[in-house]
Amino acid sequence: MTIAQSPIDFAAPGLSTQPAALNADERATRRLGTYLTLPTQILLAFIVIFPLLMELYISLSSWTPLDGRNWLYAYRYWAGLDNYWELISNARFWQSIGRTLFIMVVCVPVELLLGLGLALLFAGEFRGKRLFYSIMLMPMMVVPAVAGYMFFMLFQSGGPINNILSTLSGGAVSIAWLSRPNLALAAVMIADIWQWTPLMFLILLAGLLGVPEDQLRMATLLGAGPWWRFRLIVLPRIRAILLIALAIRTIEIFKVFDTLYIMTTGGPGVSTETISVYIYKVTMEDLQWSYVAAIALVILVVLSALAAPAIKRFAPAR
Amino acid sequence: MAAITLENLSKNFGAFAALKELNLEVRDREFVALLGPSGCGKTTTMNLISGLLHPSVGRILFDTRDVTPIPMDRRGVGFVFQNYAIFTHMTVRQNLAFGLRVRRLPPSEINRRVGAIAEMMQLTKLLDSRTDKLSVNILQRIAIGRSAIVEPAIFLLDEPLSNVDAAFRQVMRTELKTLQRQFKQTMVYVTHDQLEAMTMADRIAVLDQGILQQVGSPLEIYNHPRNVFVARFIGSPGMNLLNGRLSAENGQTFVDLGPAGRTDALPSGLARAAERAQSANVLVGVRPEDLECVDGATESGLTLVVSFVERIGHRTVVHLGAGAQSAKMTAHSTFVAALGSALRLRARAAGLRLFDRSSGLALTLE
Amino acid sequence: MYDVSRPSSWFWVLRYALIFLALIIALIPIAWMASMAFKPVEEWTAAGTDLHWLPLRPTLDNFRMIFGSSNSRLIVSIEQTAARPIIASLLAASVGTAIAMICGTLAAYGVSRFDAGRNLPLALLQLRIFPPMAVMIPVMIMWTFLGLVDTWYGLALIYGIVTLPFAFWLMKTFFDEMPRELEEAALVEGCTRFRVFYRITLPVLMAPFASAALLVFIFNWSDYLIALLLTTKEWRTIPVYMSSLSSSMTGQLYGAKAALGLIAALPPVVLGLAIQRYLVRGLTFGALKQ
């Protein structure tokens, strides 16, 4: 049993600083570090390297599970870059991307603004704050699949939402939300906004609390009303947090599946088919796995290329 | 005109009374220092004047106007916080311009006044620097300039020099007084440093535990403390307070200090004041600088034993004791005294004060 | 904090009104589902004027239905009661959480204290950026090959991998925040690295560790897509089972599904409220603290 040194202890004075020669303690420490991270590295490789290679391989063929043979034999069905050409020219694919981007462009800003509004409402002390805060967080803690079902029920022709609209408008409202393309899309977006605005609220409230109260008081003493305080003091200081919230939500919404699929299964038709739903359908219904592999690879490459510089800027790897 | 009147001001935080029935008048263009130990209520008073806090009881008047219901963004009071609260995400220029910007002044006007203030606070070279890494001395000037630029009639400063290095403090004190005269402002200044209060203020208000102890000019407070707290608090070291009993002899009044000896005959004024005492138990107050050694044996006089000798450069503070009592004496830097030796001392008549032992109030003729 | 000046009473009225509005909107869907869970069959598709927010005749029939015994008039064929999916969810989520927490905590310790695995922070972040659907085909192939399809342990494994980033990042921020002096003092006194970790580091981080575990559990419990693809019959989790419930006689089994949804939704909501303090940190990968 050796006594390991802390890695920040430098070599004892008197020893020359030879970078190549690590003493026994330092080597033991290095080894320990490697052992600690080994399981994770293995799992990571497992989930990254194998899939990538597999997908690369499969995507260059026209193999599907229907062919009866194991995927390893995909080379028998060599297809070169066919799947990639298909990808480029497939209208349905691009429409699903467009739809996903549309949802992103509408929902994320709305969630951000509503979340900011809620955070401003909740900043400061008032009676019942803790309870209200907990209730306000509930939507985002609901299992997304269950939320999907909730909104499925809510948007039924004879369901509560139409009921409320009827009460408000005086007449009988019986909109068939989930059977009309544009309305289904709207319903899906409403569900997303309902579920994830609280997340923006959570993050932005934490950000607001970081604004120094003293500076706000000082600003008020100098004659600044609420709007000036917000514009000149609060907003500049929560800029970074706004960006973080924006990034997180944008990434997640690109992956949206659970809630949406349970609400509409991508329908009516393909009117709510996002990229994840599209991939799912092509995988499970059409079974065109080699085509899907190509799509998957392209998505992975594009996302990596987009994400890496952004991450490097936000969190410089220590 | 910008006089401040605090009328029967009290502030409670739940069960805790931070300020109790404060009545204070600050005259137009006066420099008043609020002095006292931590927790005495000075910052609370400032917060009430500025509008950051709302009084539990009482009113605040600026001249004759009751400003108590007016919210703090409309009172027109300048306030420099102890930690300055500089807008660290803005440049120096933007900090200075802030008050003018929210008043929607035209940019040319803003620039002109920012330039003037920067000139006055010697910040011109730093105008476009970011503020988050500047030294405390500079931050303080920015804080003052930022509040001064909107030319408030009333200026509040909460221990603005406590974070500034000692060398710079003297310079800043002079600058602040110059500023006050220049802008013709009424200034209320919080400090726990009595030297600061004594040198800068026109009048000092001494507070302890939410209660106003005494208001007066520095000299007045120093020479005529109204109670035991002020006597002890003012002066460095504070006034000595010795337990004694009044005794009369041959038509003269003395104070018997037990093992410490007996004072000389009290001067007539003090003797007459002593008649007002509720009992014979009094406290004799004498400042350390009013004690002197006497040679030879005289009938009256004090005898105290040296317990410690403190040499502080230009003077020496001798710690003395007799029985349960203790006192300090200041002497010249060359003074020598052996530890444990007994010194014969007397108190200069002009420096003698009497306090009622039970109430702590000074015994005076008024 | 924000209203630093004394606001008028109008301000407060407006504020409370808006807050209440937000709260009502937040609760309506949940309330509707909760109400539906207790509605008898006749009320399931009540519409128009028949629609009531609260069940007219509350009943536990739906719960009985999903657990196998039904004294409802309807003959409903449910292949499987909800008992097994509940167990499946529990098992897969728990074991998956264990995998993620163990690997993630050890790795975080290695990265934080030993400067090992420098690729891990970035790599694990990128893992969360990729849509799961993009790697599901290889995963399905691999899992089939390894015989892990439709097993709780196969599910647990993939869960552990997918939530590893959360475990890692959370624990890493906690380790980074904990001062090294405590550990170094113990080292100087001759403890081994292992004992230092076990007796000094971990006890200090008990609460954060538990909170991280609960957060990871919530994620695993809430999964739908992965279970949908990797289970067929025996080990379907609650969300998958829920979406498969239907009857040829009545179409959608609103009440039953609502009851199921209630059961599924309860643990994350309760746990989420328990770990409120750490939610911001967990959901922003340590970029923000609360």
Side-chain angles (χ1 to χ4, degrees), chain B residues 41-61:
Chain B
K42 38 192 207 291
T43 302
T44 308
T45 308
M46 298 280 266
N47 287 337
L48 286 167
I49 299 176
S50 68
L52 275 166
L53 286 176
H54 201 69
S56 311
V57 180
R59 296 196 307 162
I60 301 164
L61 301 144

PDB file of all heavy atoms in Angstrom, chain B residues 41-61:
ATOM      1  N   GLY B  41     -27.695  51.941  14.303  1.00  0.00           N
ATOM      2  CA  GLY B  41     -28.832  52.510  13.593  1.00  0.00           C
ATOM      3  C   GLY B  41     -28.459  53.565  12.576  1.00  0.00           C
ATOM      4  O   GLY B  41     -29.329  54.189  11.979  1.00  0.00           O
ATOM      5  N   LYS B  42     -27.179  53.804  12.365  1.00  0.00           N
ATOM      6  CA  LYS B  42     -26.820  54.880  11.444  1.00  0.00           C
ATOM      7  C   LYS B  42     -27.164  54.546  10.008  1.00  0.00           C
ATOM      8  O   LYS B  42     -27.719  55.367   9.267  1.00  0.00           O
ATOM      9  CB  LYS B  42     -25.356  55.275  11.593  1.00  0.00           C
ATOM     10  CG  LYS B  42     -24.386  54.161  11.852  1.00  0.00           C
ATOM     11  CD  LYS B  42     -23.043  54.750  12.268  1.00  0.00           C
ATOM     12  CE  LYS B  42     -21.915  53.801  11.902  1.00  0.00           C
ATOM     13  NZ  LYS B  42     -21.901  52.564  12.682  1.00  0.00           N
ATOM     14  N   THR B  43     -26.882  53.308   9.585  1.00  0.00           N
ATOM     15  CA  THR B  43     -27.229  52.946   8.217  1.00  0.00           C
ATOM     16  C   THR B  43     -28.742  52.912   8.040  1.00  0.00           C
ATOM     17  O   THR B  43     -29.272  53.308   7.003  1.00  0.00           O
ATOM     18  CB  THR B  43     -26.624  51.575   7.857  1.00  0.00           C
ATOM     19  OG1 THR B  43     -25.223  51.640   8.027  1.00  0.00           O
ATOM     20  CG2 THR B  43     -26.960  51.202   6.441  1.00  0.00           C
ATOM     21  N   THR B  44     -29.455  52.473   9.071  1.00  0.00           N
ATOM     22  CA  THR B  44     -30.916  52.477   9.004  1.00  0.00           C
ATOM     23  C   THR B  44     -31.424  53.893   8.780  1.00  0.00           C
ATOM     24  O   THR B  44     -32.324  54.130   7.969  1.00  0.00           O
ATOM     25  CB  THR B  44     -31.512  51.908  10.305  1.00  0.00           C
ATOM     26  OG1 THR B  44     -30.907  50.647  10.579  1.00  0.00           O
ATOM     27  CG2 THR B  44     -33.006  51.753  10.203  1.00  0.00           C
ATOM     28  N   THR B  45     -30.830  54.835   9.491  1.00  0.00           N
ATOM     29  CA  THR B  45     -31.244  56.236   9.330  1.00  0.00           C
ATOM     30  C   THR B  45     -31.035  56.700   7.888  1.00  0.00           C
ATOM     31  O   THR B  45     -31.903  57.322   7.288  1.00  0.00           O
ATOM     32  CB  THR B  45     -30.447  57.141  10.278  1.00  0.00           C
ATOM     33  OG1 THR B  45     -30.536  56.622  11.601  1.00  0.00           O
ATOM     34  CG2 THR B  45     -30.980  58.556  10.241  1.00  0.00           C
ATOM     35  N   MET B  46     -29.891  56.361   7.355  1.00  0.00           N
ATOM     36  CA  MET B  46     -29.607  56.739   5.972  1.00  0.00           C
ATOM     37  C   MET B  46     -30.621  56.133   5.021  1.00  0.00           C
ATOM     38  O   MET B  46     -31.122  56.792   4.108  1.00  0.00           O
ATOM     39  CB  MET B  46     -28.211  56.229   5.577  1.00  0.00           C
ATOM     40  CG  MET B  46     -27.119  56.807   6.388  1.00  0.00           C
ATOM     41  SD  MET B  46     -26.715  58.434   5.798  1.00  0.00           S
ATOM     42  CE  MET B  46     -25.395  58.016   4.707  1.00  0.00           C
ATOM     43  N   ASN B  47     -30.900  54.870   5.234  1.00  0.00           N
ATOM     44  CA  ASN B  47     -31.851  54.203   4.361  1.00  0.00           C
ATOM     45  C   ASN B  47     -33.226  54.842   4.455  1.00  0.00           C
ATOM     46  O   ASN B  47     -33.962  54.928   3.478  1.00  0.00           O
ATOM     47  CB  ASN B  47     -31.941  52.716   4.698  1.00  0.00           C
ATOM     48  CG  ASN B  47     -30.703  51.956   4.254  1.00  0.00           C
ATOM     49  OD1 ASN B  47     -29.994  52.393   3.361  1.00  0.00           O
ATOM     50  ND2 ASN B  47     -30.453  50.820   4.874  1.00  0.00           N
ATOM     51  N   LEU B  48     -33.572  55.306   5.635  1.00  0.00           N
ATOM     52  CA  LEU B  48     -34.868  55.964   5.786  1.00  0.00           C
ATOM     53  C   LEU B  48     -34.887  57.307   5.062  1.00  0.00           C
ATOM     54  O   LEU B  48     -35.842  57.661   4.391  1.00  0.00           O
ATOM     55  CB  LEU B  48     -35.180  56.164   7.276  1.00  0.00           C
ATOM     56  CG  LEU B  48     -35.585  54.891   8.027  1.00  0.00           C
ATOM     57  CD1 LEU B  48     -35.554  55.123   9.519  1.00  0.00           C
ATOM     58  CD2 LEU B  48     -36.957  54.439   7.588  1.00  0.00           C
ATOM     59  N   ILE B  49     -33.807  58.051   5.192  1.00  0.00           N
ATOM     60  CA  ILE B  49     -33.753  59.360   4.532  1.00  0.00           C
ATOM     61  C   ILE B  49     -33.839  59.196   3.013  1.00  0.00           C
ATOM     62  O   ILE B  49     -34.510  59.956   2.326  1.00  0.00           O
ATOM     63  CB  ILE B  49     -32.458  60.114   4.902  1.00  0.00           C
ATOM     64  CG1 ILE B  49     -32.393  60.371   6.399  1.00  0.00           C
ATOM     65  CG2 ILE B  49     -32.373  61.436   4.138  1.00  0.00           C
ATOM     66  CD1 ILE B  49     -31.097  61.037   6.842  1.00  0.00           C
ATOM     67  N   SER B  50     -33.144  58.184   2.513  1.00  0.00           N
ATOM     68  CA  SER B  50     -33.105  58.033   1.059  1.00  0.00           C
ATOM     69  C   SER B  50     -34.363  57.405   0.502  1.00  0.00           C
ATOM     70  O   SER B  50     -34.656  57.516  -0.671  1.00  0.00           O
ATOM     71  CB  SER B  50     -31.913  57.158   0.664  1.00  0.00           C
ATOM     72  OG  SER B  50     -32.141  55.840   1.113  1.00  0.00           O
ATOM     73  N   GLY B  51     -35.117  56.729   1.356  1.00  0.00           N
ATOM     74  CA  GLY B  51     -36.318  56.079   0.868  1.00  0.00           C
ATOM     75  C   GLY B  51     -36.165  54.593   0.642  1.00  0.00           C
ATOM     76  O   GLY B  51     -37.099  53.927   0.223  1.00  0.00           O
ATOM     77  N   LEU B  52     -34.985  54.042   0.907  1.00  0.00           N
ATOM     78  CA  LEU B  52     -34.804  52.604   0.761  1.00  0.00           C
ATOM     79  C   LEU B  52     -35.640  51.838   1.774  1.00  0.00           C
ATOM     80  O   LEU B  52     -36.039  50.712   1.538  1.00  0.00           O
ATOM     81  CB  LEU B  52     -33.317  52.233   0.960  1.00  0.00           C
ATOM     82  CG  LEU B  52     -32.439  52.351  -0.270  1.00  0.00           C
ATOM     83  CD1 LEU B  52     -30.981  52.304   0.123  1.00  0.00           C
ATOM     84  CD2 LEU B  52     -32.731  51.214  -1.234  1.00  0.00           C
ATOM     85  N   LEU B  53     -35.867  52.476   2.916  1.00  0.00           N
ATOM     86  CA  LEU B  53     -36.715  51.869   3.932  1.00  0.00           C
ATOM     87  C   LEU B  53     -37.864  52.816   4.237  1.00  0.00           C
ATOM     88  O   LEU B  53     -37.753  54.032   4.081  1.00  0.00           O
ATOM     89  CB  LEU B  53     -35.928  51.622   5.223  1.00  0.00           C
ATOM     90  CG  LEU B  53     -34.941  50.472   5.239  1.00  0.00           C
ATOM     91  CD1 LEU B  53     -34.202  50.465   6.562  1.00  0.00           C
ATOM     92  CD2 LEU B  53     -35.653  49.142   5.046  1.00  0.00           C
ATOM     93  N   HIS B  54     -38.945  52.238   4.695  1.00  0.00           N
ATOM     94  CA  HIS B  54     -40.088  53.046   5.076  1.00  0.00           C
ATOM     95  C   HIS B  54     -40.202  53.033   6.592  1.00  0.00           C
ATOM     96  O   HIS B  54     -40.094  51.971   7.191  1.00  0.00           O
ATOM     97  CB  HIS B  54     -41.340  52.450   4.446  1.00  0.00           C
ATOM     98  CG  HIS B  54     -42.456  53.433   4.346  1.00  0.00           C
ATOM     99  ND1 HIS B  54     -42.435  54.509   3.503  1.00  0.00           N
ATOM    100  CD2 HIS B  54     -43.631  53.509   5.009  1.00  0.00           C
ATOM    101  CE1 HIS B  54     -43.542  55.203   3.641  1.00  0.00           C
ATOM    102  NE2 HIS B  54     -44.287  54.635   4.552  1.00  0.00           N
ATOM    103  N   PRO B  55     -40.396  54.183   7.206  1.00  0.00           N
ATOM    104  CA  PRO B  55     -40.394  54.196   8.676  1.00  0.00           C
ATOM    105  C   PRO B  55     -41.588  53.461   9.267  1.00  0.00           C
ATOM    106  O   PRO B  55     -42.666  53.410   8.680  1.00  0.00           O
ATOM    107  CB  PRO B  55     -40.445  55.682   9.016  1.00  0.00           C
ATOM    108  CG  PRO B  55     -40.969  56.359   7.803  1.00  0.00           C
ATOM    109  CD  PRO B  55     -40.592  55.515   6.635  1.00  0.00           C
ATOM    110  N   SER B  56     -41.380  52.874  10.443  1.00  0.00           N
ATOM    111  CA  SER B  56     -42.498  52.265  11.155  1.00  0.00           C
ATOM    112  C   SER B  56     -43.333  53.348  11.814  1.00  0.00           C
ATOM    113  O   SER B  56     -44.552  53.288  11.858  1.00  0.00           O
ATOM    114  CB  SER B  56     -41.976  51.294  12.224  1.00  0.00           C
ATOM    115  OG  SER B  56     -41.018  50.443  11.676  1.00  0.00           O
ATOM    116  N   VAL B  57     -42.635  54.342  12.334  1.00  0.00           N
ATOM    117  CA  VAL B  57     -43.304  55.486  12.958  1.00  0.00           C
ATOM    118  C   VAL B  57     -42.545  56.731  12.544  1.00  0.00           C
ATOM    119  O   VAL B  57     -41.325  56.710  12.388  1.00  0.00           O
ATOM    120  CB  VAL B  57     -43.276  55.380  14.502  1.00  0.00           C
ATOM    121  CG1 VAL B  57     -43.961  56.567  15.127  1.00  0.00           C
ATOM    122  CG2 VAL B  57     -43.896  54.080  14.967  1.00  0.00           C
ATOM    123  N   GLY B  58     -43.234  57.833  12.358  1.00  0.00           N
ATOM    124  CA  GLY B  58     -42.528  59.097  12.184  1.00  0.00           C
ATOM    125  C   GLY B  58     -42.537  59.611  10.760  1.00  0.00           C
ATOM    126  O   GLY B  58     -43.054  58.978   9.838  1.00  0.00           O
ATOM    127  N   ARG B  59     -41.946  60.783  10.586  1.00  0.00           N
ATOM    128  CA  ARG B  59     -41.931  61.430   9.282  1.00  0.00           C
ATOM    129  C   ARG B  59     -40.552  61.933   8.931  1.00  0.00           C
ATOM    130  O   ARG B  59     -39.731  62.176   9.816  1.00  0.00           O
ATOM    131  CB  ARG B  59     -42.871  62.656   9.295  1.00  0.00           C
ATOM    132  CG  ARG B  59     -44.325  62.332   9.503  1.00  0.00           C
ATOM    133  CD  ARG B  59     -45.199  63.509   9.116  1.00  0.00           C
ATOM    134  NE  ARG B  59     -44.817  64.757   9.762  1.00  0.00           N
ATOM    135  CZ  ARG B  59     -45.201  65.955   9.327  1.00  0.00           C
ATOM    136  NH1 ARG B  59     -45.951  66.048   8.257  1.00  0.00           N
ATOM    137  NH2 ARG B  59     -44.842  67.048   9.972  1.00  0.00           N
ATOM    138  N   ILE B  60     -40.369  62.110   7.642  1.00  0.00           N
ATOM    139  CA  ILE B  60     -39.128  62.704   7.154  1.00  0.00           C
ATOM    140  C   ILE B  60     -39.506  63.903   6.302  1.00  0.00           C
ATOM    141  O   ILE B  60     -40.367  63.809   5.429  1.00  0.00           O
ATOM    142  CB  ILE B  60     -38.353  61.699   6.287  1.00  0.00           C
ATOM    143  CG1 ILE B  60     -38.030  60.448   7.097  1.00  0.00           C
ATOM    144  CG2 ILE B  60     -37.070  62.326   5.761  1.00  0.00           C
ATOM    145  CD1 ILE B  60     -37.635  59.276   6.257  1.00  0.00           C
ATOM    146  N   LEU B  61     -38.868  65.030   6.588  1.00  0.00           N
ATOM    147  CA  LEU B  61     -39.200  66.239   5.835  1.00  0.00           C
ATOM    148  C   LEU B  61     -37.950  66.804   5.202  1.00  0.00           C
ATOM    149  O   LEU B  61     -36.890  66.871   5.839  1.00  0.00           O
ATOM    150  CB  LEU B  61     -39.784  67.292   6.792  1.00  0.00           C
ATOM    151  CG  LEU B  61     -41.045  66.847   7.534  1.00  0.00           C
ATOM    152  CD1 LEU B  61     -41.057  67.397   8.941  1.00  0.00           C
ATOM    153  CD2 LEU B  61     -42.256  67.313   6.781  1.00  0.00           C
TER     154      LEU B  61
END
